[in-house]
Amino acid sequence: MAHPTTSYPNQSPWAIPVAQVGSRAGQSLEVDRDFPAPSGIGDEFFGVKEGSDIHVAARFDSIVDGLIFTATATARVQGECGRCLTPIDRDMTINLNTFMPYESAETQDRNSRSSKKHSGKNDEDVIIAGEEETEDISPLSAGGDFANIESLLRDNFTQEIPLTPLCREDCLGLCPQCGINLNEHPDHEHKTVDIRFSELADLKAKLERENGDA
Ligand SMILES: [Zn+2]
Ligand SMILES: [Zn+2]
């Protein structure tokens, strides 16, 4: 059990001790508690505040070559509606279902060393390589004694964060002219059409005057 590159996985707030189920296949472990929200879920306009509580109700089932992790996770998402800027503060619940393979000591060693590797090709290749690397690393560390769910929570909540968060599906947004919230004033309108027609009317009158003078 000598893994000097694995730095005290039990000290991570996202590490769950699973050694008791990992010892042999056919066992299960249930976990039901809060974990701190990892950084990087959404942005300042809409996202999960780092360190806020994410409630996780999870179950580990051991099979021969790894653990099956099934969970429901609930986080508080905060931000503002992308159309009307109304503050949004609500729960988001996601389902997680993933397989965590046991890894040999060599694989773990290689993963921890290659985490900052650059392929040196074009930008696109570097990005793709980075994604593959994070997926390569099993959440199980210290020889399968701990399951770290930090990146599972981050990746899965990030996927659920909408590009344009809405206070409600049919949000009417703001009036493009004066900025009034159209959800609160559904009958609001401007006489914009009249203004345009009056300009045309002015022009018409002017042309007619000029023609008349000629
Ligand atoms: Zn809205
Ligand atoms: Zn208006």
Side-chain angles (χ1 to χ4, degrees):
M1 295 297 287
H3 300 301
T5 51
T6 312
S7 58
Y8 305 104
N10 55 321
Q11 288 181 357
S12 163
W14 298 281
I16 303 168
V18 291
Q20 63 176 105
V21 278
S23 55
R24 64 189 168 86
Q27 299 184 87
S28 63
L29 169 74
E30 289 190 6
V31 175
D32 192 329
R33 65 177 173 92
D34 290 340
F35 290 84
S39 62
I41 303 175
D43 53 30
E44 72 259 46
F45 301 109
F46 193 70
V48 179
K49 193 163 172 277
E50 182 180 355
S52 63
D53 286 345
I54 295 185
H55 187 83
V56 178
R59 182 187 162 99
F60 292 91
D61 290 292
S62 64
I63 57 174
V64 176
D65 51 355
L67 299 177
I68 295 168
F69 176 76
T70 319
T72 302
T74 303
R76 195 107 191 124
V77 285
Q78 294 172 310
E80 57 188 29
C81 174
R83 282 187 200 153
C84 73
L85 310 181
T86 299
I88 299 175
D89 185 347
R90 65 184 174 217
D91 283 345
M92 176 185 277
T93 297
I94 60 168
N95 293 314
L96 301 161
N97 196 336
T98 192
F99 175 61
M100 302 177 174
Y102 297 135
E103 290 188 318
S104 64
E106 299 96 80
T107 321
Q108 284 195 6
D109 217 34
R110 200 188 62 220
N111 279 335
S112 53
R113 277 188 202 147
S114 68
S115 57
K116 288 289 172 201
K117 186 181 62 187
H118 281 267
S119 73
K121 291 178 195 163
N122 62 45
D123 287 348
E124 207 173 75
D125 280 350
V126 173
I127 290 164
I128 291 166
E131 282 174 358
E132 280 171 358
E133 274 170 20
T134 49
E135 288 192 7
D136 273 343
I137 299 171
S138 173
L140 291 179
S141 58
D145 286 353
F146 293 92
N148 190 311
I149 62 169
E150 178 185 8
S151 54
L152 269 178
L153 291 176
R154 179 186 292 114
D155 295 350
N156 285 279
F157 273 108
T158 300
Q159 265 176 27
E160 291 299 313
I161 297 284
L163 281 177
T164 306
L166 296 176
C167 61
R168 57 178 216 221
E169 277 303 310
D170 57 349
C171 171
L172 298 171
L174 302 176
C175 169
Q177 279 197 275
C178 69
I180 201 169
N181 189 332
L182 296 177
N183 299 306
E184 292 160 18
H185 306 275
D187 297 329
H188 172 80
E189 61 176 335
H190 293 263
K191 306 288 183 207
T192 56
V193 178
D194 290 358
I195 292 167
R196 256 181 264 148
F197 275 117
S198 77
E199 280 172 4
L200 281 176
D202 287 349
L203 184 65
K204 182 165 175 275
K206 190 177 167 233
L207 288 172
E208 279 169 356
R209 257 199 324 277
E210 283 171 4
N211 285 338
D213 290 347

